Amino acid sequence: MKDNNPTRHAQYAWNRASQLPPPPKPPKLEFYMPAMPSLTLIHQLEMRWWRYRRRQLFRRHVLPLLAYDDNVLRDIGHCREDILWASQLPLQEDAIQVLEARQQETPHEEK
């Protein structure tokens, strides 16, 4: 998306990064076929793939927001330090989810 308004572009990037929902939990089956793989294993593989995709979306859409001014980041509710901190999280942590939780618990004060 090419837009002259950096605030709108930053908001679009954040929305694109946070739109991937997690995979559903596996159902409890009463009967298993003998050659059927474990549904827990399949769910773990799906979750690993989902975490990988979320991290890719974070790198593709959220990290480029660091090129914008601090005022633009403040307009969408984030600060540069939070995005840099989230980029250093281990791969098991969902950086987008952690940033959203951090944004809700401590809103940044305007200077």
Side-chain angles (χ1 to χ4, degrees):
M1 174 181 174
K2 294 194 177 192
D3 195 355
N4 293 334
N5 186 352
T7 305
R8 190 178 325 156
H9 183 263
Q11 188 64 38
Y12 171 78
W14 182 259
N15 290 339
R16 288 285 296 170
S18 62
Q19 72 181 1
L20 187 65
K25 293 205 180 256
K28 298 281 185 183
L29 298 179
E30 297 177 13
F31 177 74
Y32 289 97
M33 296 296 292
M36 187 169 151
S38 168
L39 292 179
T40 306
L41 174 66
I42 293 171
H43 182 67
Q44 288 175 351
L45 291 173
E46 287 176 342
M47 286 301 294
R48 187 168 290 184
W49 176 251
W50 179 75
R51 283 189 203 104
Y52 171 76
R53 289 288 301 139
R54 290 278 287 200
R55 184 57 67 133
Q56 290 297 95
L57 287 172
F58 177 78
R59 288 183 185 143
R60 182 181 303 147
H61 295 291
V62 177
L63 285 182
L65 295 179
L66 294 174
Y68 290 122
D69 189 17
D70 288 336
N71 294 330
V72 174
L73 292 176
R74 194 176 308 120
D75 286 345
I76 63 169
H78 296 286
C79 71
R80 185 173 308 280
E81 293 79 24
D82 287 347
I83 294 174
L84 289 172
W85 171 77
S87 69
Q88 301 298 321
L89 289 174
L91 293 177
Q92 290 80 14
E93 296 284 332
D94 184 14
I96 298 171
Q97 186 178 12
V98 170
L99 273 177
E100 287 174 347
R102 194 167 183 168
Q103 178 186 14
Q104 289 176 356
E105 72 183 25
T106 57
H108 298 288
E109 300 173 2
E110 291 190 26
K111 294 181 181 177

